[in-house]
Amino acid sequence: MATKKRPIQRRRADSAKSKCQQRNRRMTTLFRKAFEYCLECEADVSIMLRVRHTGQIVYFNSDGDGWPLSQVQLTSCYPVPRQITWQELAAQYNLTLKEPGKV
C-alpha cells in the first residue's frame, strides 16, 4: 500500500516574529524527534542545521565516538549510505517551491 502524501502547511502570518517563532518550534521538534529516534530505535543520529540568514549552526550528535563520519569514510561504508536530496523531498511532498540557496 502506498503511503499518503502529506502536504506541508504554510504559515499564516508573514511577520518576522512569527517566522522566527515557527523556525524555533520546528528546530526544537526536529531535535526532539532525533533524540527520541536514537533512544527508541537504538540508532546513532547526527543532525547539523545552518540558518541561512544568520549563518548560525546548530548541531546534535547522539554518539560522540566518531560521528558524523567524513565524506571519505562514508564512501567506504557498506552498504553505501543513501543521501537524500532536496529535490527528492520536494517531490515526495509535491512541492514546487524554489530550492534553498537559489534566487
Side-chain angles (χ1 to χ4, degrees), residues 46-99:
S46 181
I47 297 177
M48 183 181 292
L49 295 175
R50 182 179 68 88
V51 180
R52 277 188 252 137
H53 72 279
T54 64
Q56 176 189 16
I57 295 176
V58 183
Y59 182 74
F60 169 74
N61 189 3
S62 66
D63 181 24
D65 298 335
W67 274 87
L69 299 175
S70 69
Q71 196 68 18
V72 173
Q73 291 170 319
L74 283 174
T75 57
S76 65
C77 290
Y78 181 82
V80 177
R82 180 173 165 230
Q83 180 179 5
I84 301 172
T85 64
W86 191 90
Q87 290 87 359
E88 289 172 335
L89 289 177
Q92 180 180 350
Y93 290 110
N94 275 343
L95 292 180
T96 56
L97 303 174
K98 63 180 180 179
E99 186 173 344

Side-chain angles (χ1 to χ4, degrees), residues 35-48:
F35 178 73
E36 289 173 2
Y37 189 88
C38 79
L39 284 179
E40 295 179 11
C41 299
E42 298 178 1
D44 292 328
V45 177
S46 181
I47 297 177
M48 183 181 292

